[in-house]
């Protein structure tokens, strides 16, 4: 009995001690702050990349104390290696900590860039030929030479490994389909001018296609809208569709204009170049006035302003030759030509108030002398002057007064032998030549006696043009 009583006592005491221990642990536990990592415990960061801190969650007595967490340790993302960060929370007498491991290394894949894009259209029966690619790695730089290319039916697979073993891949899709339009271009000018009742002859086109080899036979030219019997503006259309159904179309404007009417017996346009010059031009003006004949003067920067003023005042056409008439200077370049032309244009405008638009190229548009200064410049200039609103005139009757005709009788013969009754006659002369001055009266007399009409050139006079030789 005594023994049993003792046992019971021990049991009670033991239970009390146990209760105390549990209680103490519980109390201690509530006084220790708790901490746990946010994010992964093992983190990989790309070399030269950015480490993003996820932080740690700390609680104390059920309260969030994360802001009190101190982080110990440093990471250098420019150096490969293993780093450790320690997160510590200290509250009262107790503290808790956790750790995170960070590994800095090259984890970025190399990037392969495809020239010509990731989708390539090819002609139906074409064989793919590599267009090109570039592989760049964040750490290794250009590793294009390590790229492996594998063609698999309609795909080209490209792969490359960087030194750290990261693999970059890209696929190019091959589409065997022609989606490109044919190229269709007009031969001749976009706007074509013809006389009423003449025949429209299409200047043609040029065509090419990336895939279709028989494209030339597929162009349809529709000139049906052009009515040369009626004055107006018409359109000629050109259309072509390649074998894959890609269509291109272009247009040409055709202007049908009234043919200028010339007086019966031919017209003579007397033209005088290179002046003015005192002693010749003034006498020529006197003769023209007495004979009641109008002419055209292609002036330069020489001579007195008063003669140019007289030319305009007496109803002649003041046209432009160039300021300097210096081949080496004016035919050096397009800009040089137009700069020079502007000088004489401005001189004429200053003296006469007229915006002169009629010009003659020194040496004519057929000159070959310009070849020495700029190849092909006459081809360019003859188009460009028209684009800029000028009309240029060559000649079809040459007095040769700047060549071999040194006497007035030679000048006279050359002119009258060159005149035609069935057409209009643009007569080249130079008002700086005494023999021309002296031949003029007889030339006019001959013209009048043979029923020619004299006229000065204006903007509706059809351009007399030579063939261009440079
Ligand atoms: Zn000249």
């Amino acid at each position: 009995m005594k023994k049993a009583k003792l046992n019971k006592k021990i049991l009670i005491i033991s239970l009390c001690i146990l209760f105390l221990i549990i209680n103490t642990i519980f109390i201690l536990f509530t006084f220790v702050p708790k901490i746990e990592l946010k994010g992964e415990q093992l983190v990989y960061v790309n070399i030269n990349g950015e480490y993003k801190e996820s932080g740690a969650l700390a609680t104390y007595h059920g309260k969030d104390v994360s802001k009190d967490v101190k982080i110990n340790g440093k990471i250098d993302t420019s150096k490969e290696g293993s780093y450790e960060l320690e997160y510590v929370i200290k509250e009262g007498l107790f503290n808790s900590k956790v750790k995170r491991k960070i590994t800095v290394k090259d984890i970025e894949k190399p990037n392969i860039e495809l020239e010509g894009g990731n989708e390539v259209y090819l002609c139906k029966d074409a064989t793919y030929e590599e267009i090109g690619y570039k592989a760049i790695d964040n750490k290794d730089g250009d590793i294009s030479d390590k790229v492996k290319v594998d063609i698999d039916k309609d795909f080209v697979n490209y792969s490359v490994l960087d030194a750290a073993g990261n693999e970059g891949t890209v696929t190019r899709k091959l589409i065997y389909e022609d989606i490109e339009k044919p190229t269709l271009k007009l031969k001749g000018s976009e706007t074509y001018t013809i006389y009423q009742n003449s025949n429209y002859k299409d200047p043609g086109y040029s065509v090419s296609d990336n895939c279709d080899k028989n494209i030339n036979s597929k162009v349809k030219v529709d000139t049906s809208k052009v009515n040369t019997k009626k004055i107006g503006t018409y359109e000629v259309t050109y259309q072509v569709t390649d074998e894959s159904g890609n269509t291109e179309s272009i247009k040409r404007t055709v202007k049908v204009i009234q043919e200028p009417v010339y007086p019966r017996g031919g017209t003579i346009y007397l033209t005088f170049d290179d002046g003015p010059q005192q002693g010749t031009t003034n006498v020529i003006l006197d003769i023209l006035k007495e004979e009641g004949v109008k002419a055209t003067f292609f002036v330069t920067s020489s001579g007195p302003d008063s003669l140019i003023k007289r030319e305009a005042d007496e109803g002649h056409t003041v046209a432009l030759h160039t300021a300097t008439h210096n081949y080496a200077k004016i035919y050096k370049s397009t800009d040089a030509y137009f700069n020079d032309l502007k000088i004489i244009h401005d001189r004429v405008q200053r003296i006469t108030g007229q915006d002169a638009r009629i010009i003659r190229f020194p040496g004519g548009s057929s000159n070959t002398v310009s070849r020495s200064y700029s190849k092909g410049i006459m081809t360019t200039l003859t188009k460009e002057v028209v684009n800029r609103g000028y009309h240029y005139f060559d000649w079809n009757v040459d007095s040769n007064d700047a060549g071999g005709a040194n006497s007035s009788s030679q000048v006279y013969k050359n002119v009258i032998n060159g005149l035609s009754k069935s057409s209009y006659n643009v007569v080249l002369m130079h008002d700086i030549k005494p023999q021309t001055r002296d031949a003029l009266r007889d030339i006019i007399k001959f013209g009048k006696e043979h029923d020619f009409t004299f006229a000065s050139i204006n903007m509706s006079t059809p351009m007399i043009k030579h063939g261009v030789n440079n």
Side-chain angles (χ1 to χ4, degrees), residues 273-274 300 321 325 327 360-363 430:
D273 291 10
D274 297 4
T300 65
H321 204 19
H325 207 291
Y327 294 134
R360 174 173 284 159
F361 293 107
H430 295 80

Side-chain angles (χ1 to χ4, degrees), residues 432-451:
I432 56 170
K433 299 287 182 186
Q435 67 270 33
T436 299
R437 172 196 62 196
D438 298 342
L440 183 60
R441 181 92 63 183
D442 287 341
I443 291 169
I444 294 171
K445 218 170 144 191
F446 176 91
K448 285 181 175 173
E449 279 168 7
H450 291 84
D451 206 19

Side-chain angles (χ1 to χ4, degrees), residues 153 183 208:
K153 284 178 193 165
T183 303
S208 62

